[in-house]
Amino acid sequence: MPDKNMNIPVHIGIIMDGNGRWAKKHFQPRQLGHRAGANNFRTITRYANSIGVRYLTLYAFSTENWQRPKDEVGALMRLFKDYLREALRDFMDENIRVRFIGDRSAFDKELQELMEEVEQASAPKTGMVLNLAMNYGGRAEILRAAKSFAESVAKGERAPFELTEEMFSRLLYTGGQPDPDLIIRPSGEERISNFLLWQCAYTEFVYFDILWPDFRPEDLLRAIDIYNSRQRRFGGV
């Protein structure tokens, strides 16, 4: 558990990366790497909730991930369904509210219905908010918000000069939530990969050369410790 004096970030984002490389390293098919990553997702989510994280956003499936081999995408979709069924059965014992961010219209009807069911079942929860980014892309999110405001202008509901950063933020999938304080990327890669582009303007980033299935609660604490060692100026002196 964290030291009692440790400042726990209100909102943490994690780019869950490295499942395929983990599978290759262990001479396993990529699908088993994704399953190992899903198991670790449960561990880290529960731990984040236990230490007082208020918002956790996990990058599960990007708009670009559709370009992967068809059999791998199919395996991921089955894995998502298995997780959501498990969430309805077991995960609801946790005081965690689940939300899905991204364009869910690309998923099949069964998956969309499971997503809706999980959101509704967890809505009364008062603990951590878990945002699962599925078919999510930061650029697509910004375009969606811009189109939404443009439509309100076309209908005469708004004037262009009324648009502010605060109003625009409310049009994003994460509207009403604080921007992430910390984003963590395991796997050794050091890039944003189209994740929370608007929201991460002043986010602290921590990169680890650890594949996601091997990322442990102690690594999360290590990232928070690094976050605590930095001085956030938000453009000031």
Side-chain angles (χ1 to χ4, degrees):
M1 295 298 289
D3 182 276
K4 63 180 180 179
N5 296 318
M6 179 177 279
N7 176 31
I8 303 297
V10 173
H11 187 171
I12 295 178
I14 302 179
I15 300 172
M16 300 185 293
D17 191 21
N19 294 338
R21 277 168 284 170
W22 183 92
K24 184 177 180 181
K25 178 181 175 182
H26 290 83
F27 306 101
Q28 301 286 343
R30 289 178 64 87
Q31 291 89 331
L32 289 185
H34 291 305
R35 189 162 294 279
N39 289 335
N40 196 43
F41 149 78
R42 297 175 180 89
T43 299
I44 297 301
T45 296
R46 289 186 169 106
Y47 185 74
N49 185 44
S50 75
I51 63 174
V53 176
R54 297 301 301 161
Y55 298 87
L56 179 66
T57 302
L58 299 180
Y59 207 2
F61 190 84
S62 76
T63 50
E64 292 75 31
N65 286 155
W66 295 106
Q67 301 171 30
R68 293 186 175 186
K70 189 175 180 180
D71 60 340
E72 183 176 346
V73 171
L76 280 168
M77 295 302 113
R78 290 190 295 275
L79 190 60
F80 291 150
K81 290 175 184 177
D82 288 345
Y83 159 71
L84 295 179
R85 293 188 190 101
E86 179 192 276
L88 287 167
R89 186 181 66 246
D90 302 325
F91 207 59
M92 289 302 145
D93 291 337
E94 307 285 338
N95 190 24
I96 297 173
R97 182 178 181 182
V98 182
R99 295 183 67 253
F100 296 93
I101 63 173
D103 180 11
R104 65 184 74 184
S105 66
F107 298 123
D108 66 37
K109 183 179 178 181
E110 181 184 9
L111 184 51
Q112 289 186 50
E113 289 176 348
L114 281 168
M115 294 165 78
E116 179 69 22
E117 195 173 351
V118 168
E119 283 187 331
Q120 290 182 3
S122 68
K125 305 293 184 180
T126 58
M128 185 179 74
V129 174
L130 170 64
N131 298 312
L132 283 174
M134 293 176 58
N135 196 28
Y136 172 88
R139 288 182 174 180
E141 179 183 33
I142 291 170
L143 281 175
R144 173 180 172 273
K147 289 176 181 176
S148 176
F149 183 77
E151 287 171 2
S152 66
V153 171
K155 292 176 182 177
E157 298 169 352
R158 294 282 186 185
F161 67 86
E162 293 182 275
L163 184 62
T164 63
E165 287 189 14
E166 182 182 359
M167 182 186 297
F168 192 79
S169 292
R170 291 199 301 268
L171 297 174
L172 300 173
Y173 289 118
T174 55
Q177 300 183 13
D179 290 339
D181 303 291
L182 168 66
I183 289 179
I184 304 165
R185 181 166 191 160
S187 82
E189 304 293 349
E190 298 186 5
R191 54 179 176 269
I192 300 175
S193 294
N194 205 13
F195 183 51
L196 301 178
L197 296 181
W198 174 277
Q199 297 92 328
C200 75
Y202 285 103
T203 298
E204 297 296 324
F205 282 79
V206 173
Y207 302 101
F208 284 132
D209 193 12
I210 302 169
L211 301 176
W212 170 247
D214 293 327
F215 187 85
R216 297 292 177 254
E218 51 266 33
D219 298 312
L220 178 59
L221 288 182
R222 188 153 58 100
I224 294 173
D225 191 49
I226 293 170
Y227 164 82
N228 274 275
S229 72
R230 297 177 182 174
Q231 186 175 4
R232 305 182 75 199
R233 298 185 179 88
F234 299 97
V237 178

